[in-house]
Amino acid sequence: WFKLMRKQLLREPNTLASRFNQFATYTLGVSSNLWLCLWIIGPNPKDPLGDADGPEIFWWSLHTGIFVFYATSAYGAFLGNLLDIFYGPRYEVICWTHKAFAIVYGLSAAYLVFVYAYSLANFEEGKGVPALGSGIFTQVADFVWMACVLLAYPAMPREPPLKQETLVI
């Protein structure tokens, strides 16, 4: 939100990238509030609500859906900020480290979304093991994604300070 306000104060042009950034920022706000429900929604085998796979798959799907919404929103907001700067008047501040971080962040988020969606879609009740397992690649992707979430703000290019001139008469 502060980035969007800063853009208005500096009277920067409204590009497609800035509109995507605005959408992604508001989506991140909604998903951050919904993220709080993630910790109260999980498997409940005694709940009668469910489908043919049993109640656990319903609650895990809801739990995973909230995670996917947050993960894609967080990455979208990061990417939106980066694109907004890249297609704005300060495009020269974007260097290869910003692009490399965005690629690593995006690949880890996409991999986790794929693995979790595939595991839920191919879940077999009673088997006890996810379809793709919980292997080392998934664990590494989890840690890389968490590190990217923590480092997203420091990984952004620094903005110049706003200048205010005051005339005292």
Side-chain angles (χ1 to χ4, degrees), residues 51-169:
D51 52 18
D53 293 329
E56 284 189 60
I57 196 70
F58 171 77
W59 290 110
W60 272 121
S61 297
L62 196 56
H63 179 88
T64 305
I66 292 170
F67 167 76
V68 166
F69 182 44
Y70 177 78
T72 55
S73 297
Y75 179 68
F78 175 81
L79 187 63
N81 277 323
L82 208 60
L83 291 174
D84 196 9
I85 294 170
F86 186 74
Y87 289 108
R90 294 180 316 280
Y91 64 91
E92 69 277 350
V93 299
I94 303 290
C95 61
W96 70 270
T97 55
H98 301 115
K99 295 174 187 175
F101 183 83
I103 290 169
V104 169
Y105 189 2
L107 287 175
S108 66
Y111 179 79
L112 290 176
V113 167
F114 171 75
V115 166
Y116 294 152
Y118 185 87
S119 293
L120 281 173
N122 297 303
F123 176 76
E124 294 178 26
E125 191 172 5
K127 189 174 179 187
V129 177
L132 287 179
S134 187
I136 188 72
F137 292 120
T138 305
Q139 296 300 312
V140 169
D142 279 331
F143 283 108
V144 169
W145 179 79
M146 287 185 276
C148 287
V149 169
L150 290 172
L151 296 173
Y153 177 73
M156 288 300 296
R158 296 289 159 243
E159 297 279 346
L162 291 173
K163 297 176 184 174
Q164 180 179 0
E165 295 181 12
T166 305
L167 179 63
V168 179
I169 301 177

Side-chain angles (χ1 to χ4, degrees), residues 10-72:
L10 293 174
R11 293 184 179 90
E12 292 180 357
N14 192 14
T15 62
L16 183 61
S18 62
R19 286 193 294 266
F20 172 72
N21 184 22
Q22 185 175 11
F23 173 76
T25 302
Y26 289 130
T27 305
L28 178 61
V30 171
S31 70
S32 295
N33 285 300
L34 191 59
W35 176 265
L36 299 173
C37 296
L38 180 80
W39 308 112
I40 59 173
I41 296 174
N44 185 0
K46 293 185 170 78
D47 193 349
L49 183 61
D51 52 18
D53 293 329
E56 284 189 60
I57 196 70
F58 171 77
W59 290 110
W60 272 121
S61 297
L62 196 56
H63 179 88
T64 305
I66 292 170
F67 167 76
V68 166
F69 182 44
Y70 177 78
T72 55

